[in-house]
């Protein structure tokens, strides 16, 4: 008779930390963690010693102090008496503005170029290839400074618009002025507007007293802009609300038409209804609010009125869009090419038309390939917008990482905060991307 | 009624092949298929040709009709008007002619230009055995020596600095070898790295000085702030590329590792670096790094920027290589395990060669991106080509010149980046083993 015995229990020996694979991984981890902590401690210790030696402290109190500098482009009220914090927010909004504008323009241009590069037409596909190769093989900073230099040297100065026989004229029915200081566009205005709504107003503050009693001197009228953290235009909200309501109604009409078609087989003609519910109420609201366009006018040495798109914003926007479009074009091309030809042939065999094949068969599959790298291009564009500092566009790098850093001498705090802000933007975007990836991933096994 | 059985209603013999219609072959056929297939196509083609013509008809005379011998913008403009008349627009290449060496080398002393040149030649000699497989194996010695000789050639100074720096590797290797055999490979690795770091931090300086006192050997030294122009871009690009590659591999392996602490350290590092723009890292290099180093440490600005550029590129490289690793079939890992290979052997012999091959396009585009990004150092006031363009523009002789300078810089960058991307395509074809 044989007896089954457990194998002899091994006692733990110190050398097993090195030789036994079960324990070795723990050893490696502990060593890595120790190394990391030692390194971090060393760095932090150095920082403490250096700060003490320079007589500095590490705190973010300076963010509340008055900034003392002006920002030429601002989306919310700001002046040199505002805090460094507000300057950073203004900068951040400028960053986001150029990033969003750039992403939209780059996507449109990139998709067009990418599709053109796949064209059967030899000349067109070659031109698209030349575009892609030229744009992406030259540093983006060079494009930015080049376009900035071109706009400020080659475009007419505001004084060229003056006189009876001016050297330059305004474009598109005298509404757009293209100058070396930027482009002046007509601005939407409301003669019977509803005014602004301050967000988080502190009613005790002078700014809000001026805001709620608007019949003051020009000085207090200016002050009124600073009531609350920022102000929302009620006009814009009203228009958007009506527009969205119109879109929802239009959707309801479509659903109803679908239902009727399902029940009776006859589809009622609804396109004019759908157009009408979207546009008529919106137009009515615009009319009630007294909508008109404020044209830029030459007054004194410069144009007044209208929306001023600075040449720094313009250069940054154009350069980033053109540059990123080259990469997006390649992504779109790769995405479309990744869909096997059999898919469109099968669709054709089912009797689908060319554009239906594109929209129903090829694009939905190609999007799965296209979207993830597309979003990382958006991220790249956002990060590249930090090059604004080269052309003097006041984005977050220009305000927080530029003037605030130089004025307060708080390199450590500002640069860390700057990195943190960019990191938050990036992580937000990439988590959105991961969510999209999860949703559209091919379901296998 | 007779039946004519020989007459058939169906043709019984094959007809000879006819030549295709003239409109479908040759140039005419090609033009019809590729340029004028439909009406829309025809219109687009004509529009495209018109655009190309109008750009080229302006650009070509501007480039090739430009003037090379003029010493200032005014002189050049006067010459253009004299030869071509008011209405014509021609380039003033004189600025490139006059400032070429500054755009290339910055303020690097003129009589020492041979040193960066020699370093570049050595570099290519060192790269050759890695880039092209069919060269004698002995050349690999050059590859090992270049990282030590090239910086010495560029900055000059005592010959003992590169020698003692190299000795650090020797010390690390010897310790690793000895401990591995005597105790354990893992401990050998850790102690080897540690002893090399100790050598570089504490022993290298005194030993080098002592040797310099005994046998003074050296060449004229050049300060970092004299480095500039394309030399600076290439220097930053090449160090970034060569150093970020191994670092990226290590980070990628760390990220794939199942050791949770190692993995999260790597993930944290990669996501942090990829989440911030390079310009903020350059700010760190220019204003922050002094806070993180022991008090009184003087650290060369070029070296600081190199470190930042390297870790920036390494994070991107790690993601590219991770993609390659993820694309490998699981069977490859299992096969390596089945052969009884340990982790490093499996990585070196089976996993990495395949993963790297898959990720060649990504690796090369990271390299290209890195090389282009070296222009960002102009923002922290280093004299790279873009900064030099500004210097030259602020000179009264060339005040107001734009297109020639930017065009030239763009052209040089284009040549570098385009040839890198073509090389990657060549490499992909060469390593192609599929069907």
């Amino acid at each position: 008779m044989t007896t089954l015995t457990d194998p002899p229990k091994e006692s733990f020996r110190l050398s097993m930390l090195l030789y036994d694979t079960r324990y070795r991984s723990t050893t490696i981890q502990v060593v890595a963690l120790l190394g990391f902590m030692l390194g971090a401690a060393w760095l932090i210790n150095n920082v403490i010693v250096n700060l003490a030696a320079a007589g500095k402290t590490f705190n973010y109190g300076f963010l509340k102090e008055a900034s003392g500098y002006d920002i030429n482009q601002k989306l919310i009220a700001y002046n040199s008496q505002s805090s460094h914090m507000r300057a950073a927010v203004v900068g951040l909004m400028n960053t986001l503005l150029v990033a969003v504008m750039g992403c939209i323009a780059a996507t449109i241009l990139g998709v067009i170029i990418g599709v053109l590069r796949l064209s059967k037409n030899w000349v067109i596909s070659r031109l698209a290839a030349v575009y892609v190769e030229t744009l992406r093989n030259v540093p983006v900073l060079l494009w930015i400074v080049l376009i900035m230099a071109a706009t400020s040297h080659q475009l007419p100065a505001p004084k060229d618009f003056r006189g009876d026989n001016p050297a330059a004229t305004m474009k598109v029915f005298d509404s757009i002025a293209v100058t070396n200081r930027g482009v002046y566009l007509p601005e939407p205005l409301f003669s019977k507007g509803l005014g602004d709504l301050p967000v988080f107003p502190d009613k005790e503050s002078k700014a809000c007293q001026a805001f709620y009693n608007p019949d003051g001197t020009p000085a207090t009228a200016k002050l009124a802009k600073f009531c609350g953290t920022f102000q929302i235009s009620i006009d814009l909200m009203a228009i958007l609300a009506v527009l969205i309501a119109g879109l929802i109604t239009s959707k309801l009409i479509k659903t109803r038409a679908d239902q009727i078609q399902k029940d009776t087989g006859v589809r009622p003609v609804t396109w004019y209804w759908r157009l009408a519910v979207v546009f008529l109420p919106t137009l009515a609201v615009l009319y009630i609010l007294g909508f008109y366009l404020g044209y830029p006018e030459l007054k004194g040495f410069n144009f007044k009125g209208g929306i001023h798109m600075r040449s720094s914003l313009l250069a940054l926007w154009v350069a980033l869009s053109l540059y990123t479009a080259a990469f997006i074009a390649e992504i779109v091309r790769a995405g479309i090419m990744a869909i096997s030809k059999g898919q469109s042939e099968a669709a054709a065999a089912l009797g689908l038309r060319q554009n239906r094949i594109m929209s129903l068969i090829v694009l939905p599959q190609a999007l799965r390939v296209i979207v993830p790298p597309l979003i990382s291009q958006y991220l790249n564009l956002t990060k590249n917008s930090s090059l604004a500092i080269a052309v003097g566009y006041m984005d977050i790098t220009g305000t927080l990482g530029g003037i605030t850093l130089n004025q307060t001498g708080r390199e450590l705090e500002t640069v860390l905060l700057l990195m943190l802000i960019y990191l938050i933007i990036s992580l937000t975007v990439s988590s959105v991307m991961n969510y999209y990836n999860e949703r559209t991933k091919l379901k296998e096994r | 009624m007779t039946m004519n059985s020989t007459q058939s209603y169906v043709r019984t013999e094959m007809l000879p092949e006819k030549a295709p219609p003239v409109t479908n072959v040759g140039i005419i056929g090609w033009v019809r298929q590729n340029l004028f297939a439909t009406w829309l196509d025809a219109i687009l083609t004509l529009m495209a040709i018109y655009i190309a013509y109008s750009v080229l008809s302006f650009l070509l005379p501007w480039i090739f009709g430009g003037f090379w011998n003029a010493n200032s913008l005014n002189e050049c403009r006067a010459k253009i008007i004299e030869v071509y008349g008011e209405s014509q627009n021609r380039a003033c290449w004189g600025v490139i002619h006059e400032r070429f060496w500054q755009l290339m080398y910055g303020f690097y002393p003129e009589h020492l230009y041979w040193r960066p040149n020699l370093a570049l030649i050595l570099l290519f000699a060192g790269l050759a055995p890695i880039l092209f497989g069919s060269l004698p194996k002995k050349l690999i010695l050059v590859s090992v020596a270049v990282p030590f000789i090239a910086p010495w050639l560029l900055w000059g100074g005592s010959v003992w600095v590169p020698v003692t720096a190299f000795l650090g590797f020797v010390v690390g290797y010897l310790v690793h070898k000895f401990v591995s055999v005597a105790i354990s490979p893992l401990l050998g690795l850790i102690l080897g790295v540690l002893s090399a770091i100790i050598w570089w931090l504490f022993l290298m300086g005194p030993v080098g000085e002592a040797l310099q006192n005994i046998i003074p050997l050296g060449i004229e030294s050049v300060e970092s702030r004299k480095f500039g122009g394309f030399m600076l871009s290439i220097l930053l690009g090449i160090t970034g590329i060569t150093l970020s590659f191994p670092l990226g591999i290590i980070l990628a392996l760390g990220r794939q590792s199942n050791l949770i602490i190692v993995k999260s350290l790597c993930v944290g590092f990669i996501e942090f670096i990829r989440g911030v723009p390079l310009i903020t890292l350059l700010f760190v290099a220019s204003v922050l790094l002094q806070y993180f180093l022991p008090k009184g440490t003087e650290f060369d600005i070029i070296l600081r920027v190199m470190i930042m550029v390297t870790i920036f590129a390494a994070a991107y490289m790690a993601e590219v290589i991770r993609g390659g690793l993820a694309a490998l079939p699981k069977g490859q890992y299992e096969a390596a395990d089945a052969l009884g290979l340990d982790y490093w052997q499996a990585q070196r012999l089976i996993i990495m060669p395949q993963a790297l091959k898959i990720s060649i396009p990504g690796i090369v585009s990271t390299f290209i991106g890195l090389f282009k990004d070296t222009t960002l150092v102009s923002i922290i006031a280093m004299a790279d080509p873009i900064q030099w363009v500004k210097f030259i523009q602020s000179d009264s002789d060339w005040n107001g010149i734009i297109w020639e300078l930017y065009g030239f810089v763009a052209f040089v960058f284009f040549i570098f980046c385009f040839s890198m991307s073509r090389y990657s395509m060549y490499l992909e074809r060469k390593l192609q083993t599929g069907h």
Side-chain angles (χ1 to χ4, degrees):
Chain A
M1 200 179 102
T2 54
T3 47
L4 266 173
T5 51
D6 285 342
K9 276 238 169 75
E10 262 187 279
S11 61
F12 179 76
R13 293 185 312 279
L14 207 58
S15 62
M16 280 165 72
L17 284 178
L18 287 179
Y19 297 111
D20 194 319
T21 39
R22 283 172 297 174
Y23 301 111
R24 192 166 59 187
S25 60
T26 323
T27 318
I28 296 175
Q29 303 234 48
V30 170
V31 170
L33 192 63
L34 275 180
F36 172 73
M37 287 190 338
L38 273 178
W42 182 69
L43 291 178
I44 292 171
N45 181 49
N46 284 338
V47 170
I48 293 170
V49 170
N50 283 320
L51 282 177
K56 287 182 176 175
T57 52
F58 184 84
N59 73 58
Y60 280 101
F62 72 95
L63 282 178
K64 292 223 170 87
E65 289 163 16
S67 63
Y69 62 91
D70 267 319
I71 298 180
N72 54 22
Q73 178 182 306
K74 49 209 175 220
L75 297 178
I76 58 173
Y78 172 88
N79 66 19
S80 58
Q81 293 310 305
S82 308
S83 63
H84 282 294
M85 171 86 114
R86 204 171 172 90
V89 172
V90 171
L92 179 61
M93 291 175 86
N94 286 347
T95 293
L96 295 177
L97 174 74
V98 77
V100 170
M101 281 167 59
C103 288
I104 294 171
T107 311
I108 296 171
L109 192 62
V111 170
I112 293 174
I113 303 274
V115 171
L116 286 185
R117 210 177 163 186
L118 281 176
S119 158
K120 287 197 196 80
N121 189 318
W122 187 84
V123 183
I124 301 260
S125 68
R126 272 319 111 102
L127 271 189
V130 167
Y131 173 87
V132 169
E133 294 296 347
T134 323
L135 262 295
R136 71 172 181 177
N137 280 323
V138 173
V140 61
L141 181 61
L142 194 61
W143 290 122
I144 295 173
V145 288
L146 176 63
I147 293 178
M148 181 70 188
T151 47
S152 46
H153 284 82
Q154 306 284 319
L155 294 177
K159 68 173 162 39
D160 294 337
F161 289 81
R162 210 195 315 273
D164 293 332
N165 193 11
T169 50
M170 286 162 75
K171 310 268 185 294
V172 194
F173 308 117
D174 262 3
S175 64
I176 299 173
V178 182
T179 74
N180 60 358
R181 294 185 195 178
V183 174
Y184 294 82
L185 300 166
E187 167 187 36
L189 291 172
F190 301 96
S191 60
K192 284 169 276 183
L194 301 171
D196 295 332
L197 184 71
V199 180
F200 306 126
D202 171 17
K203 295 203 176 170
E204 304 300 308
S205 72
K206 271 186 185 168
C208 281
Q209 283 164 8
F211 180 84
Y212 288 110
N213 307 307
D215 38 61
T217 58
T220 52
K222 256 186 189 168
L223 196 62
K225 280 197 279 183
F226 288 87
C227 178
T229 314
F230 58 94
Q231 294 172 358
I232 295 177
S233 157
I234 303 175
D235 305 320
L236 187 67
M237 289 297 127
I239 294 166
L240 278 181
V242 172
L243 192 64
I244 290 169
L247 287 173
I248 293 172
T249 322
S250 156
K251 180 90 181 166
L252 286 177
I253 295 175
K254 177 175 179 285
T255 322
R256 183 174 161 272
D258 285 346
Q259 191 59 41
I260 291 175
Q261 185 180 22
K262 223 168 157 189
D263 295 342
T264 64
V266 184
R267 190 182 180 87
V269 183
T270 55
W271 62 267
Y272 46 85
W273 281 113
R274 295 182 61 190
L275 277 184
V277 294
V278 174
F279 286 105
L280 287 183
T282 314
L283 289 176
V285 169
L286 284 179
Y287 179 76
I288 292 167
L289 291 176
F291 174 81
Y292 68 97
L293 284 176
Y295 292 108
E297 272 175 68
L298 192 58
K299 278 182 190 159
F301 292 107
N302 208 341
F303 280 92
K304 292 271 157 56
I307 299 171
H308 181 194
M309 225 168 144
R310 282 169 193 285
S311 43
S312 54
L313 169 64
L314 209 64
L316 196 63
W317 178 44
V318 171
L320 286 177
S321 317
L322 291 179
Y323 180 78
T324 312
F327 290 87
I328 293 181
E330 286 298 273
I331 291 169
V332 169
R333 181 171 78 109
I336 294 177
M337 276 168 66
I339 306 308
S340 85
K341 224 178 162 197
Q343 295 283 329
S344 43
E345 286 168 357
L350 287 175
L352 291 182
R353 292 279 175 81
Q354 198 57 48
N355 54 352
R356 305 276 284 175
I357 294 178
M358 207 51 177
S359 62
L360 294 177
I361 309 288
V362 177
L363 274 187
Q365 299 186 69
L367 275 184
R368 191 181 291 139
V369 185
I370 291 173
V371 170
L374 186 69
I375 291 177
S376 55
Q377 284 306 323
Y378 291 164
L379 263 184
N380 280 348
L381 192 149
T382 311
K383 286 188 285 172
N384 278 338
S385 72
S386 59
L387 300 180
I389 199 169
V391 287
Y393 176 70
M394 297 301 273
D395 74 332
I396 181 101
T397 318
T399 55
L400 182 66
I403 304 179
T404 295
L405 185 151
N406 285 332
Q407 281 193 355
T408 59
R410 298 202 171 258
E411 298 98 352
L412 203 57
E413 290 93 336
T414 46
V415 174
L416 288 183
L417 187 61
L418 189 62
M419 285 181 149
L420 186 72
I421 290 171
Y422 276 111
L423 205 57
I424 290 171
I425 298 177
S426 301
L427 293 182
T428 316
V429 174
S430 62
S431 55
V432 170
M433 175 166 75
N434 284 340
Y435 173 73
Y436 175 87
N437 263 349
E438 279 305 310
R439 284 218 22 214
T440 59
K441 173 163 89 178
L442 266 187
K443 305 287 182 293
E444 286 172 328
R445 270 186 281 169
Chain B
M1 197 168 121
T2 55
M3 281 273 287
N4 192 350
S5 60
T6 56
Q7 181 151 18
S8 63
Y9 293 97
V10 180
R11 195 191 289 279
T12 52
E13 77 279 11
M14 283 285 282
L15 279 179
E17 281 177 12
K18 268 189 186 169
V22 204
T23 51
N24 277 348
V25 288
I27 296 174
I28 301 174
W30 185 88
V31 167
R32 269 175 68 110
Q33 272 169 23
N34 290 302
L35 302 183
F36 300 101
T38 60
W39 273 110
L40 185 68
D41 242 11
I43 295 167
L44 282 176
T45 304
L46 291 179
M47 264 168 58
I49 290 177
Y50 175 74
I51 292 172
Y53 170 77
S54 47
V55 170
L56 288 182
S57 66
F58 174 79
L59 215 55
L60 291 181
W62 184 81
I63 293 173
F64 294 106
F67 280 95
W68 284 91
N69 45 354
N71 291 321
S72 74
L73 190 59
N74 291 335
E75 189 187 333
C76 175
R77 294 246 163 97
K79 275 191 179 175
I80 291 172
I81 290 172
E82 187 186 312
V83 177
Y84 295 107
E86 280 279 0
S87 63
Q88 289 291 324
N89 216 339
R90 302 287 151 133
C92 293
W93 295 119
V95 65
I96 307 296
H97 180 76
E98 196 191 85
R99 300 302 188 96
F100 181 78
W101 297 110
Q102 286 182 332
L103 278 170
M104 287 293 152
Y105 294 95
F107 285 120
Y108 205 82
E110 219 162 305
H111 65 283
L112 296 179
Y113 282 169
W114 63 273
R115 279 173 22 186
N117 293 344
L118 183 62
L120 196 67
I121 292 168
L122 278 180
L123 179 90
F124 277 114
L127 276 179
I130 301 164
L131 295 185
F132 306 99
S134 58
L135 289 160
K137 290 280 178 237
K138 287 255 172 70
L139 264 178
I140 206 91
L141 285 177
V142 182
S143 320
V144 174
V146 164
F148 303 97
I149 297 179
W152 175 62
L153 278 175
L154 291 174
W155 275 277
S158 161
V159 74
W160 297 110
V161 176
V163 170
T164 47
F166 179 69
L167 280 180
F169 283 97
V170 176
V171 167
Y173 178 75
L174 287 179
V175 169
H176 166 66
K177 190 94 183 172
F178 181 71
V179 178
S180 298
V181 174
I183 309 173
S184 116
L186 178 65
L187 206 62
L189 187 71
I190 295 170
L191 287 183
V193 171
L194 214 61
S195 57
I197 291 175
I198 289 173
W199 170 270
W200 285 320
L201 284 184
F202 302 109
L203 296 174
M204 184 182 135
V207 172
E209 263 172 44
L211 283 169
Q212 175 71 10
N213 286 338
I214 300 166
I215 317 168
L217 270 181
I219 50 177
E220 189 182 336
S221 57
V222 181
E223 288 169 58
S224 283
R225 59 185 171 80
K226 297 204 168 166
F227 284 49
F230 279 103
M231 183 187 138
L232 184 64
S233 301
I234 294 173
L235 178 64
L236 291 175
I238 285 175
T239 33
I241 287 169
T242 41
L243 296 179
S244 70
F245 189 54
L247 205 56
I249 292 179
I250 293 172
L251 282 172
L253 289 177
R255 195 169 182 167
Q256 293 287 79
S257 151
N258 45 18
L259 308 174
I260 186 81
I261 296 176
V262 175
K263 183 178 172 172
S264 38
L265 286 180
C266 288
V267 170
F269 179 82
I270 293 172
E271 292 299 330
F272 173 69
I273 298 291
R274 278 163 45 90
V276 298
L278 178 56
I279 186 74
T280 58
L281 290 178
L282 292 179
F283 281 162
V284 170
S286 72
V287 299
L288 271 196
L289 218 53
Q290 49 173 352
Y291 284 108
F292 287 108
L293 295 171
K295 199 162 159 283
T297 319
E298 282 295 315
F299 214 10
D300 192 84
I301 180 73
I302 294 187
L303 205 56
R304 284 188 263 168
V305 167
M306 271 179 188
I307 293 172
M308 284 302 161
V309 166
T310 304
I311 62 176
F312 182 75
Y316 283 81
M317 192 68 73
E319 283 300 277
V320 169
I321 293 170
R322 183 173 76 114
L325 286 174
L328 271 195
K330 222 177 164 198
Q332 295 292 330
Y333 292 88
E334 290 162 357
D337 285 344
L339 284 175
L341 300 179
D342 71 22
Y343 180 78
W344 292 110
Q345 283 173 325
Q347 291 299 342
R348 186 161 51 91
L349 299 171
I350 297 188
I351 309 297
M352 266 305 148
Q354 300 185 66
L356 291 181
K357 194 184 90 180
I358 300 172
S359 29
I360 286 173
I363 291 174
V364 176
S365 35
T366 312
F367 286 167
I368 294 176
L370 168 64
F371 184 60
K372 285 187 296 182
D373 280 347
T374 59
T375 51
L376 267 61
V377 299
S378 66
I379 292 178
I380 55 166
M382 288 173 76
D384 88 315
I386 291 187
Q387 189 78 356
W388 264 103
V389 169
K390 284 182 194 147
F391 288 161
I392 298 172
Q393 280 172 340
S394 59
D395 184 333
S396 59
D397 278 351
W398 296 107
N399 202 339
I401 194 158
I402 311 171
W403 302 100
E404 290 84 349
L405 283 171
Y406 285 124
F408 175 73
V409 174
F411 177 71
V412 176
F413 269 106
F414 178 82
I415 297 285
F416 277 114
C417 298
F418 192 68
S419 34
M420 269 199 268
S421 74
R422 292 292 121 156
Y423 174 77
S424 99
M425 288 181 181
Y426 155 80
L427 203 60
E428 265 177 84
R429 272 197 304 277
K430 196 180 87 171
L431 299 179
Q432 173 77 265
T433 49
H435 304 291

